[in-house]
Every structure is written in C-alpha cells, then in structure tokens.
Amino acid sequence: MATINQNYLKLPGSYLFSEIARRVSAYAQANPDKKLIKLGIGDVTRPLAPAVTQAMHKAVDEMATGEGFHGYGPEQGYEFLRQAIAQHDYAARGVDIAPDEIFVSDGAKSDCGNIGDIFGVDNVVAVCDPVYPVYVDTNAMAGRAGDYDGESQHWSKLVYMPCTAENGFSPAIPQEKVDLIYLCFPNNPTGAVASREQLERWVAYANANDAVILYDSAYEAFITQPDIPHTIFEIPGAKTCAIEFRSFSKTAGFTGTRCAYTVVPKELVRGGASLNSLWNRRQCTKFNGVPYVVQRGAEAVYSPEGQAQVKETIAYYQRNAQVIREGLTRAGLTVSGGVNAAYIWVKTPEGMGSWEFFDLLLEQANVVTTPGAGFGPSGEGYIRVTAFGDQQATQEAVARIVSVLG
Ligand code: PLP
C-alpha cells in the first residue's frame, strides 16, 4: 500500500485567505450595491515595465527562428541574467557575489520552501511570529515542525520569535540554540526593516553557532532609508552563514511572470559540505529552469530604461503607502511599516481583535484588509493593509476608513 507523508495531515487548513474570501463573498452577496475596495492580498496591480515587455517580445521572436530557438536552458539560469544580478544587485552595493552563487528560479516562494531539501530534519528552526506562512508550513511538511497545537497556534518543535511593538517588530535572538533562522526584511506582514547592527548580531550568532540564516528580501526594492542594508551580504561574515532569497515579483511586477533568485555563497559550508553544491544538485535534479523569454524580461529590469520604469512603479506604490499611513494616523490609528515596505501594520483600536476590526472595516467602510492574527498569534490586535492597489481606490479606501472612525 502506498503510504503518505503523514506530516501533511497535521497541517491546519489554509484558514486565512479562505476565511477572508468567505466573509467577503458573504458580505458582497448580501450587499450587492456596495463597492468593495481590496487592500488585502499582497499582489501587485501595475503593468510590467515597457522595457521588460519589449525584451520579452524580442525573445519570443527569437524563439520563432532556428538560430534563436532555446530549449532547456541551464537549470541555474542563463549567464546573462546571473551576470546582471551579480553586477546590479550586489557589486553596485559593494558586495562581491559571483554569478555561480546565484540560482535563478520561478519564485522566492518555491525557493523558500524547497531550500529545506538540503537540510536535515533534525535542525531546530526559528521563525518570526507573525510570519509569512510558507516558512512554517514547508518545515511542517518536511517533519521539522513537530505537532500543531490549535490553541496556541504553534508547532511543537519550532522556535517562535515574537515581533511586537515592544521590540519594534524586530525579533530578539532566541534563548535556546537554533540551527535554521528565517528572517524576512522588509517584513511581510509588519513592514519592519532590520538595521545594520541588528543584522550584524544575527550574523555573529549564526557564525558562532554554525546556524544558517535564510534571509528573504523579496521586498528589498521598497527600502527608502539610506542606512538600511538591502542584502544580508552587506554584513561582513554573512557569506559563511546566510542564504538570500530575492524576487522580481514585487521589484518589477513579475508575480504572474515568475522569476526570482537565490544566492548561496560558496563559502557556506556545513557538516563539511558546500551548500552551494547541494543546492545546485537539488536544482539540477528537480528543476528545469526559468523560460528564456522570462529571463530576458528579467534582464531588462536592469537596463537604464528598465530601472527608471520599475522605480516609477515602486514610487507609485510608495505614494499609496504614504496615503495609507497618513490617513490612518489621522483616523487615530497607530500604524507602522509602509516606509521601507509596501505593507502597513495597523493596531486595531480599543483592543479590538484582528477579525473584529476586519469585519468592521468590511461592513462599514467596504474595505478588505488582512487580519494580523492570520500570520500568527503575535499578529492578534493588528491588520495588514497593502499599498499594491490602484492609487484612486487606495485614496477612496482611506477616506472611507477616516470617515467611519472619525
Ligand atoms: N517572500 C515573501 C516574504 C512574500 O511575501 C512573497 C509573496 O508574497 C514571496 C516571498 C513570494 O515571492 P515569489 O512571487 O517570487 O514567489
């Protein structure tokens, strides 16, 4: 008899977005005349940059010719894209990352999940609370998380690092020894960033304990403050203890186009094995590369026109973030994030629960948000608002919230 991976049976249902969808659809059905504005899900809304679509059109035309046709590409990504990434995302910031330390993929979500393949099941894993659920669920699937307790909403073997207003939404280094540490800055869902000093402490901890930091900087493009590191590899010593995940999804609107990359430094060795070699082996075995057309599109993000265009789009979302921050502050709410991030983390008023405040905004302002409790117990008492929406709709949503709470 075929047996199954029992760990899958331990996973709680993907409650958050299905429950949001259920409440939204029930409300919309009962109130067909109301126009809802969605500031919930973290998908982008602006079109791809013209430089990107031009490069993709050109690549499609190449594919229609005998000489320009591309079949299977290198599993690690084409050299032209790995070179461009090494140059623009690292060398330009004074960081030396070689193209063969960069693995192009179809998404940071897949990479954050798949990276577990190269680590043993006995590693102690630390995650933030609240957290991007992919880190938790993929470790649970691999049998690294133990058992789920519905009451505490915690897995028995994971080490949770609360991110609260008291610590500025930046986790403290755990008391117990941990082996794999997921960090995400700028953070989803809180919008917090890590300072250089904070990252230096993590790197020192990881090197001293032979731990590995899994650093997700999918939202790096939203950093505005000059002293905030864009990559963990700006921190001396990070190359012996960190893996970094990046994505074109939020940087350049590739959520539907799919392109990302992971950096595994060659200096990173655990148990005598090079993690770069292990990841290379994993990718070559289980992954067949990102389409040529998409990689040409990603390369165009780094052209002068591409850079100007994607920066304009990011500025568009950043203006939304400012409108949300200022408006909700005017409405008497306490907000954080949204300065170096497209997420605004909003404290619910008068001790309301996340879902209670979500319902109030849905029913009275007809605005859809995301309850913070869905990202972990420390998210209770917060909602997440995203700046990825249409400008006018965002302004309208904020005006409605101000009038409901004012
Ligand atoms: N990492 C974080 C923290 C995210 O919030 C997301 C998407 O929402 C991703 C990774 C996924 O990125 P990708 O679209 O490259 O799979």
Side-chain angles (χ1 to χ4, degrees):
M1 187 183 84
T3 60
I4 54 157
N5 178 345
Q6 293 289 325
N7 296 314
Y8 277 68
L9 302 183
K10 299 180 185 170
L11 293 164
S14 69
Y15 172 72
L16 178 61
F17 288 105
S18 53
E19 178 61 15
I20 292 173
R22 194 189 66 72
R23 291 188 192 210
V24 169
S25 117
Y27 181 80
Q29 264 176 16
N31 302 275
D33 54 317
K34 304 283 194 206
K35 194 178 154 288
L36 297 181
I37 301 178
K38 297 188 178 171
L39 299 182
I41 290 177
D43 199 358
V44 296
T45 54
R46 304 298 297 157
L48 288 171
V52 168
T53 53
Q54 278 156 19
M56 289 171 73
H57 280 296
K58 185 164 167 276
V60 168
D61 288 339
E62 273 180 67
M63 292 287 278
T65 66
E67 318 76 68
F69 173 75
H70 286 74
Y72 292 126
E75 290 90 346
Q76 304 85 349
Y78 284 102
E79 195 58 23
F80 63 76
L81 181 55
R82 299 170 93 193
Q83 290 273 7
I85 292 167
Q87 174 56 38
H88 294 273
D89 287 345
Y90 293 99
R93 296 197 68 80
V95 177
D96 182 24
I97 293 290
D100 61 358
E101 295 176 304
I102 296 166
F103 296 84
V104 176
S105 79
D106 64 353
K109 186 182 193 175
S110 346
D111 287 354
C112 290
N114 293 333
I115 199 73
D117 279 12
I118 67 169
F119 292 104
V121 282
D122 47 350
N123 281 295
V124 178
V125 178
V127 293
C128 291
D129 168 22
V131 66
Y132 177 54
V134 173
Y135 317 142
V136 172
D137 289 2
T138 55
N139 276 291
M141 289 168 176
R144 242 178 252 117
D147 293 312
Y148 186 68
D149 172 41
E151 198 168 326
S152 66
Q153 296 169 44
H154 277 176
W155 290 85
S156 57
K157 288 190 181 166
L158 294 185
V159 173
Y160 288 89
M161 306 181 289
C163 299
T164 60
E166 289 70 45
N167 61 22
F169 304 103
S170 189
I173 291 178
Q175 301 293 319
E176 58 269 72
K177 192 173 169 312
V178 294
D179 307 307
L180 298 176
I181 304 154
Y182 287 84
L183 295 178
C184 172
F185 294 113
N187 188 263
N188 176 16
T190 67
V193 283
S195 68
R196 187 170 302 278
E197 295 69 34
Q198 284 165 334
L199 290 182
E200 278 168 1
R201 283 198 287 277
W202 281 110
V203 166
Y205 174 88
N207 277 322
N209 291 280
D210 282 338
V212 174
I213 297 170
L214 301 166
Y215 193 77
D216 184 345
S217 57
Y219 297 94
E220 165 276 333
F222 289 86
I223 295 173
T224 53
Q225 289 173 308
D227 47 345
I228 300 295
H230 285 237
T231 155
I232 190 143
F233 299 117
E234 285 178 46
I235 309 302
K239 281 196 200 169
T240 50
C241 69
I243 290 175
E244 178 160 287
F245 306 100
R246 287 278 191 104
S247 175
F248 292 92
S249 283
K250 308 296 158 80
T251 307
F254 273 53
T255 52
T257 307
R258 312 304 306 143
C259 196
Y261 65 87
T262 288
V263 177
V264 189
K266 279 178 283 190
E267 289 163 52
L268 181 53
V269 173
R270 288 292 178 273
S274 150
L275 298 200
N276 178 286
S277 302
L278 296 190
W279 184 242
N280 187 48
R281 186 74 172 86
R282 191 263 169 218
Q283 289 298 81
C284 290
T285 302
K286 293 197 185 180
F287 182 62
N288 243 343
V290 175
Y292 173 71
V293 174
V294 170
Q295 292 193 56
R296 280 295 183 199
E299 180 193 26
V301 168
Y302 298 109
S303 67
E305 312 77 60
Q307 280 293 289
Q309 292 161 2
V310 298
K311 284 195 173 127
E312 207 174 296
T313 301
I314 286 165
Y316 176 102
Y317 296 134
Q318 279 165 336
R319 283 193 294 275
N320 282 349
Q322 195 182 349
V323 165
I324 296 167
R325 280 178 61 87
E326 289 176 0
L328 299 192
T329 304
R330 238 184 6 261
L333 295 168
T334 304
V335 304
S336 59
V339 174
N340 298 294
Y343 295 121
I344 297 92
W345 193 236
V346 184
K347 182 93 192 89
T348 60
E350 294 154 24
M352 258 186 214
S354 290
W355 282 103
E356 200 187 338
F357 192 44
F358 168 88
D359 284 337
L360 182 146
L361 294 178
L362 173 64
E363 288 160 18
Q364 297 186 23
N366 302 146
V367 174
V368 181
T369 56
T370 310
F375 297 99
S378 296
E380 181 54 272
Y382 290 87
I383 56 161
R384 188 193 74 175
V385 181
T386 88
F388 286 122
D390 171 80
Q391 205 153 58
Q392 266 190 329
T394 302
Q395 283 165 355
E396 166 72 24
V398 169
R400 287 187 198 171
I401 297 174
V402 171
S403 98
V404 165
L405 299 178

